[in-house]
């Protein structure tokens, strides 16, 4: 990915064919879908923002796909009716059930959509007014099925939790998406802040709700049908990051379980596809499998304390440990690729010390989430179904200090996280007792990560 990204930076950018929007007959009809569910804090902000997008009124339709079961439904409907009175082509579609969850809502809206192209925004996104003018023109190339933009972060500096989420997402949206797209490997539509060709959706089999990441699923089915994806690194669509730990946990659970479900659903089709290059198949295989890394991380973490004790007391195994240590170089690669991403995002503001602090925090808390995410991965691979749990949004941009009145649903995962916090404290203690410090940085990060996740989950939440 790093090599691909660096080659992309040095390459002469090929100009893509684009619609000429100075010619009215080249401006296509676009439908914007807004799938929402009990989004009382942000729904009004989203609908208002979308109604202010620059695009010819006679070429734009807005669909509010509202599955809400709370009082926000009536407020959303009233807001839509108010914009209708202003001459905006906006409709309100309310389902009495959540069959297929988000995928079901998108599919139902698609059946009556007027547009040749379908833009999708989740409730916490705020596209800039010229967003359609920066994305729609690329569909001049009839092979393009999707145009995806990069996520921005409205509340990046709200807390340590939001900072590390932004840090992780930036890696995906800079290094991974660019690296894959540049070499024509499979990438994924990110569920929002992108636009589809309606024909592409239908050709790929339409939205399907049998996985928790319907966006990844449809992305792969579309690319297996030889549709191309266009990724726009420099078009940024701002969004709000989860500000409470239970929201981040549920989002991580859904993403990681959905990825595992998609591996089981789609990997065999990828490997059997005759007109896909073998290197693309390798990238796609591990792309689908990437959430399973958390199970490996948790296993390595659990084994690290016994390994520390064995290494200190069994001289016969020292050579083996030196060989194993060689693979620690993978951590240096990990640091390097995140450093490139950080530098790309921050530019002249990039600081070595700030990066070191962010990376330590991110790496630690990611490992601290490994119990939550490993459970998700196992359920995904073994076919255990669960409902689509939306990520709560609190409009932290306007509400600088949020007082959360959410009931804490403590789980057995929290108990395991506490046990592991104590377990890795013992690992740190053992390092000093045995005068064996090779695994000390690893155990310090594990202790910090599990302490942070456990404390935030049980006591503070945000």
């Amino acid at each position: 990915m790093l090599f691909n990204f660096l080659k992309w930076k040095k390459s002469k950018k090929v100009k893509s064919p684009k619609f000429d929007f100075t010619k009215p007959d080249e401006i296509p009809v676009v439908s914007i879908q807004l799938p929402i569910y009990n989004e009382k804090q942000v729904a009004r902000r989203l609908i208002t923002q979308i109604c202010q997008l620059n695009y010819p009124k006679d070429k734009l339709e807005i669909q509010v796909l509202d599955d809400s079961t709370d009082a926000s439904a009536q407020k959303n409907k009233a807001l839509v009716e108010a914009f209708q009175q202003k001459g905006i082509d906006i409709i309100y579609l309310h389902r009495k059930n959540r069959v297929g969850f988000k995928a079901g809502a998108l599919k139902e809206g698609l059946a009556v959509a007027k547009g040749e192209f379908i833009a999708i925004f989740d409730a916490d996104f705020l596209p800039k007014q010229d967003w359609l003018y920066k994305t729609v023109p690329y569909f001049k190339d009839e092979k393009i099925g999707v145009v995806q933009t990069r996520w921005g972060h409205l509340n990046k500096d709200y807390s340590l939790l939001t900072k590390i989420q932004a840090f992780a997402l930036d890696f995906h949206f800079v290094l991974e998406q660019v690296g894959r797209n540049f070499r024509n490997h499979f990438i994924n539509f990110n569920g929002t802040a992108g636009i589809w060709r309606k024909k592409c959706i239908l050709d790929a089999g339409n939205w399907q709700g049998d996985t928790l990441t319907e966006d990844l699923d449809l992305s792969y089915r579309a690319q297996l049908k030889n549709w191309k994806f266009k990724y726009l690194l420099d078009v940024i669509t701002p969004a709000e990051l989860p500000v409470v730990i239970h929201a981040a946990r549920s989002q991580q659970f859904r993403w990681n379980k959905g990825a595992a479900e998609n591996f089981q659903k789609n990997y065999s089709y990828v490997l059997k596809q005759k007109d896909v290059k073998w290197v693309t198949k390798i990238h796609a295989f591990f792309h689908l499998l990437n959430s399973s890394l958390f199970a490996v991380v948790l296993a390595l973490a659990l084994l690290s304390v016994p390994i520390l004790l064995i290494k200190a007391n069994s001289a016969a195994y020292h050579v083996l440990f030196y060989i194993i240590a060689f693979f620690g170089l993978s951590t240096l690669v990990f640091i390097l690729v995140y450093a490139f991403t950080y530098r790309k995002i921050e530019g002249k503001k990039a600081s070595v010390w700030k990066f070191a602090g962010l990376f330590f925090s991110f790496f630690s808390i990611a490992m601290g989430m490994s119990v939550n995410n490993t459970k998700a991965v196992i359920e995904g691979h073994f076919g255990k179904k669960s409902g689509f749990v939306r990520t709560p949004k609190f409009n932290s941009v306007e509400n600088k200090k949020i007082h959360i009145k959410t009931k804490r649903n403590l789980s057995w995962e929290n108990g395991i996280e506490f046990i592991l916090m104590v377990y890795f404290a013992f690992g740190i203690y053992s390092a000093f007792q045995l005068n064996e410090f090779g695994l000390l940085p690893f155990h310090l990060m594990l202790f910090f990560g599990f302490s942070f996740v456990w404390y935030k989950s049980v006591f503070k939440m945000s």
Side-chain angles (χ1 to χ4, degrees):
M1 288 298 149
L2 178 59
F3 289 148
N4 289 346
F5 176 75
L6 294 175
K7 287 178 181 177
W8 170 82
K9 285 185 69 177
K10 293 181 179 180
S11 67
K12 293 181 180 179
K13 305 300 184 292
V14 178
K15 289 188 177 181
S16 303
K18 297 180 184 178
F19 289 125
D20 183 357
F21 274 17
T22 63
K23 301 176 181 178
D25 61 331
E26 286 201 32
I27 302 177
V29 178
V30 174
S31 293
I32 299 179
Q33 294 185 319
L34 309 178
I36 56 180
Y37 174 68
N38 294 348
E39 312 282 6
K40 62 181 180 180
Q41 300 282 4
V42 293
R44 183 180 185 86
R45 183 183 69 177
L46 168 71
I47 296 169
T48 302
Q49 182 79 4
I50 297 302
C51 287
Q52 294 174 350
L53 290 178
N54 291 331
Y55 206 73
K57 285 187 177 182
D58 61 330
K59 298 288 184 73
L60 181 64
E61 174 197 35
I62 302 169
Q63 295 182 333
V64 177
L65 309 176
D66 192 359
D67 284 356
S68 297
T69 56
D70 63 5
S72 66
Q74 288 301 317
K75 293 180 180 179
N76 296 337
K77 184 178 181 181
L79 182 61
V80 168
E81 290 172 349
F83 278 114
Q84 288 173 340
Q85 294 298 318
K86 295 179 181 180
I88 294 175
D89 186 358
I90 181 171
I91 61 172
Y92 179 83
L93 298 175
H94 184 264
R95 299 195 304 167
K96 295 182 179 180
N97 60 64
R98 294 188 72 207
V99 174
F101 305 108
K102 180 180 175 181
L106 293 172
K107 185 176 182 179
E108 192 163 310
L110 187 70
V112 295
K114 301 175 184 177
E116 181 184 353
F117 303 101
I118 312 294
I120 300 170
F121 296 102
D122 283 348
D124 48 338
F125 280 75
L126 292 176
K128 296 177 182 177
Q129 290 188 345
D130 62 352
W131 192 90
L132 291 170
Y133 281 92
K134 288 184 175 181
T135 55
V136 176
Y138 287 96
F139 286 102
K140 175 82 171 182
D141 181 349
E142 294 186 358
K143 294 180 180 179
I144 297 291
V146 176
V147 174
Q148 174 68 55
T149 64
R150 172 159 65 99
W151 293 7
H153 315 296
L154 292 166
N155 59 340
K156 176 180 177 178
D157 295 322
Y158 183 85
S159 66
L160 177 60
L161 182 63
T162 57
K163 287 178 181 177
I164 63 165
Q165 288 177 90
F167 187 74
L169 286 169
D170 287 342
F171 169 75
H172 168 69
F173 280 99
V174 174
L175 201 83
E176 288 189 324
Q177 291 288 62
V178 170
R180 291 191 179 104
N181 197 223
F182 175 65
R183 286 302 185 190
N184 296 315
H185 300 320
F186 287 8
I187 68 169
N188 59 295
F189 168 65
N190 293 105
T192 177
I195 183 166
W196 284 81
R197 188 186 297 271
K198 185 177 182 179
K199 182 180 177 182
C200 173
I201 297 175
L202 297 175
D203 183 50
N206 215 325
W207 295 104
Q208 296 175 9
D210 56 345
T211 73
L212 291 180
T213 46
E214 73 294 321
D215 46 3
L216 178 60
D217 177 31
L218 185 58
S219 297
Y220 265 69
R221 286 188 280 115
Q223 287 166 110
L224 287 170
K225 287 277 191 174
N226 296 317
W227 287 98
K228 292 183 178 180
F229 282 32
K230 181 72 176 179
Y231 179 64
L232 303 179
L233 176 67
D234 296 325
V235 180
I236 302 171
T237 309
E240 190 167 323
L241 295 160
V243 296
V244 293
I245 193 71
H246 78 87
R249 289 176 73 114
S250 66
Q251 185 181 72
Q252 285 288 308
F253 187 91
R254 187 176 75 249
W255 287 353
N256 286 290
K257 181 172 181 177
E261 289 175 327
N262 269 286
F263 175 82
Q264 295 296 330
K265 180 177 179 178
N266 291 309
Y267 84 91
S268 62
Y269 298 113
V270 172
L271 297 180
K272 292 175 183 176
Q273 192 82 352
K274 293 181 179 180
D275 56 353
V276 175
K277 295 183 295 184
W278 68 268
V279 66
T280 297
K281 289 182 179 181
I282 292 173
H283 275 276
F285 183 87
F286 287 106
H287 182 202
L288 289 171
L289 197 61
N290 65 3
S291 68
S292 300
L293 176 67
F294 283 102
V296 179
V297 168
L298 184 58
L300 288 172
L302 292 172
L303 292 169
S304 64
V305 174
I307 286 173
L308 170 67
L309 301 176
I310 293 170
K311 187 174 187 294
N313 294 288
S314 303
Y317 293 110
H318 277 195
V319 174
L320 182 60
F321 284 113
Y322 288 134
I323 295 172
I324 292 172
F326 170 78
F327 293 97
L329 292 174
S330 63
T331 304
L332 297 180
V333 177
F334 202 46
I335 294 171
L336 183 65
V337 294
Y338 272 87
F340 270 92
T341 301
Y342 173 77
R343 187 176 179 183
K344 172 66 178 176
I345 294 294
E346 296 295 328
K348 293 181 180 179
K349 297 187 296 180
S351 161
V352 173
W353 296 111
K354 187 177 179 181
F355 169 76
L358 275 172
F359 185 84
F360 174 87
S361 301
F362 154 71
F363 205 1
S364 301
I365 295 170
M367 291 191 292
M369 293 283 279
S370 61
V371 172
N372 178 79
N373 293 345
T374 297
K375 178 175 180 278
V377 165
I378 292 172
E379 287 188 6
H381 282 303
F382 284 92
K384 182 180 178 181
K385 296 299 181 181
S386 57
F388 186 105
V389 179
R390 76 171 184 92
T391 304
K393 292 102 179 175
F394 298 98
N395 196 358
S396 63
V397 178
E398 296 178 12
N399 303 319
K400 299 298 182 182
K401 296 296 181 182
I402 300 170
H403 178 64
I404 307 298
K405 295 181 179 180
T406 305
K407 182 180 178 181
R408 291 174 173 81
N409 296 316
L410 301 183
S411 64
W412 60 265
E413 289 102 317
N414 301 135
I416 292 177
E417 286 157 359
F418 176 78
I419 293 170
L420 290 176
M421 178 182 72
V422 176
Y423 180 68
F424 295 117
F426 171 73
I428 295 169
Y429 170 79
S430 299
F432 288 95
Q433 290 296 306
L434 300 170
N435 200 32
E436 184 64 64
F437 302 107
L439 289 170
L440 182 61
F442 187 48
H443 288 155
L444 285 170
M445 286 190 289
L446 285 163
F447 174 75
F448 173 75
F450 280 106
S451 298
F452 180 91
V453 171
W454 175 77
Y455 174 73
K456 290 285 188 177
S457 299
V458 174
F459 293 108
K460 201 168 182 184
M461 297 185 72
S462 63

